[in-house]
Amino acid sequence: MAIDYQHLKNRAFAPVHQHYTERETMLYALSLGLGNDPLDAAALPFVYEGLEGGLRALPTQAVVLGYPGFWAREPDTGIDWVKLLHGEQRVRWHQALPASGDVVGHNRITHLTDKGEDKGAIMITERRLESAAGELLATVQQVTFLRGDGGYSQQGGGQPSDAPLPALPPTPEDRAPDVTNTQAIRPEAALLYRLMGDTNPLHADPAVATKAGFERPILHGLASYGLVAHAVLRQCAGGDPTRLKALDIRFAAPVYPGETLVTEIWRVPGQAGQFQLRARVAERNKVVLSHGFAELV
């Protein structure tokens, strides 16, 4: 079954109402590895409620709130979900995320781009995350590579194909990064992170991972996204989660649980609070996240 442009673009998503507690906020941070070092005082505000000022939420927790589930696996989509890959993530924060509360996620598909029969298709989904009172907390855009669904626009008499989003800027190659951050990824990280709501078996079942072309289950793209965000906060924002206003990243290659993530950060000359970044795994010396952009206040 091929994907149908009109059906997907018009696909209705019911608002996702979600209540989350401080326990879930701590579990999110722990799933990213915060707290691996019990003497790391900088991680403690995100995993322990007993400090003065109380528990703080990592801003990237917004990507798992109001999430509609792994709906691409549903038969009506026509998506070859085994070959689906998370390509990019772009988020804008409008307010600080509370450590607990009630939120509503409004989800929709904004773009479908056909790259050709042998090149796949690109799908962009958007989530407006709001408080129960209707205040906009974050705008979340996810770029997904549909590796098995290219050529759909040539079927059924021809279907539309949207223009893609503007490309993310490449990271500098002419100078060394201004700062780096190293984080160890726990071997069970993907199994922990799937408790955030992304139950794609690609991240848990070796047989599914092999069928998709990977040697073993891979880490969720959004888990590595959260790791990079924490690196930016730690190295450039004094650990203050309220300062992160934007973070865009491209997922260039898979990350495997148990590897070590090295985030490289460049200040943008003449632009206060703006940074470019990428991340690589130390064991393979391979860039796994690229074209990164962060904005702080």
Side-chain angles (χ1 to χ4, degrees):
M1 177 181 177
I3 62 174
D4 182 290
Y5 174 92
Q6 296 295 346
H7 176 75
L8 280 182
K9 287 292 292 284
N10 295 326
R11 196 177 199 273
F13 293 85
V16 179
H17 296 262
Q18 184 173 353
H19 173 73
Y20 67 101
T21 66
E22 289 193 345
R23 180 180 182 275
E24 290 162 311
T25 294
M26 288 184 277
L27 181 60
Y28 173 77
L30 289 167
S31 76
L32 297 180
L34 277 77
N36 283 359
D37 178 358
L39 298 180
D40 182 7
L44 209 53
F46 303 104
V47 296
Y48 174 56
E49 76 288 356
L51 298 177
E52 183 178 355
L55 185 70
R56 309 190 81 179
L58 286 169
T60 51
Q61 189 177 351
V63 303
V64 302
L65 296 174
Y67 174 62
F70 189 34
W71 58 269
R73 194 175 182 178
E74 296 174 11
D76 76 287
T77 68
I79 294 172
D80 185 353
W81 64 269
V82 173
K83 296 182 179 180
L84 175 155
L85 277 181
H86 195 164
E88 295 177 0
Q89 188 72 25
R90 310 185 187 198
V91 180
R92 299 294 180 271
W93 285 272
H94 309 286
Q95 296 189 49
L97 191 67
S100 63
D102 294 277
V103 293
V104 184
H106 300 279
N107 298 273
R108 66 187 183 115
I109 298 171
T110 60
H111 296 70
L112 275 173
T113 305
D114 191 353
K115 303 295 289 184
E117 186 171 355
D118 298 325
K119 298 181 179 180
I122 296 175
M123 177 175 66
I124 300 172
T125 54
E126 179 188 90
R127 182 185 320 129
R128 290 173 57 86
L129 185 68
E130 299 178 353
S131 69
E135 300 171 314
L136 184 60
L137 299 173
T139 301
V140 180
Q141 285 184 311
Q142 178 169 315
V143 179
T144 303
F145 294 153
L146 308 179
R147 296 183 297 160
D149 299 294
Y152 77 82
S153 63
Q154 306 304 314
Q155 302 171 9
Q159 298 189 56
S161 178
D162 299 318
L165 290 176
L168 297 177
T171 40
E173 298 290 347
D174 58 347
R175 58 190 175 98
D178 295 304
V179 65
T180 62
N181 186 84
T182 301
Q183 297 158 286
I185 302 171
R186 295 182 64 89
E188 70 275 25
L191 295 175
L192 283 170
Y193 192 84
R194 71 189 305 270
L195 300 179
M196 300 304 106
D198 187 344
T199 57
N200 186 340
L202 175 66
H203 306 292
D205 190 335
V208 173
T210 299
K211 187 176 180 180
F214 302 105
E215 62 183 61
R216 52 195 169 100
I218 63 175
L219 186 66
H220 302 70
L222 287 180
S224 55
Y225 180 81
L227 286 165
V228 165
H230 181 241
V232 171
L233 291 177
R234 181 183 288 261
Q235 298 296 337
C236 306
D240 184 353
T242 67
R243 292 185 58 192
L244 185 61
K245 294 302 175 184
L247 180 61
D248 302 334
I249 204 78
R250 177 178 297 173
F251 302 109
V255 177
Y256 292 104
E259 295 185 317
T260 305
L261 195 70
V262 180
T263 302
E264 302 170 326
I265 305 170
W266 290 261
R267 298 180 182 89
V268 178
Q271 300 295 325
Q274 293 189 11
F275 302 86
Q276 290 181 274
L277 56 138
R278 70 181 176 198
R280 57 182 174 86
V281 290
E283 290 80 0
R284 292 179 283 139
N285 193 29
K286 186 174 183 63
V287 173
V288 291
L289 297 103
S290 66
H291 297 71
F293 170 80
E295 183 175 357
L296 302 173
V297 296

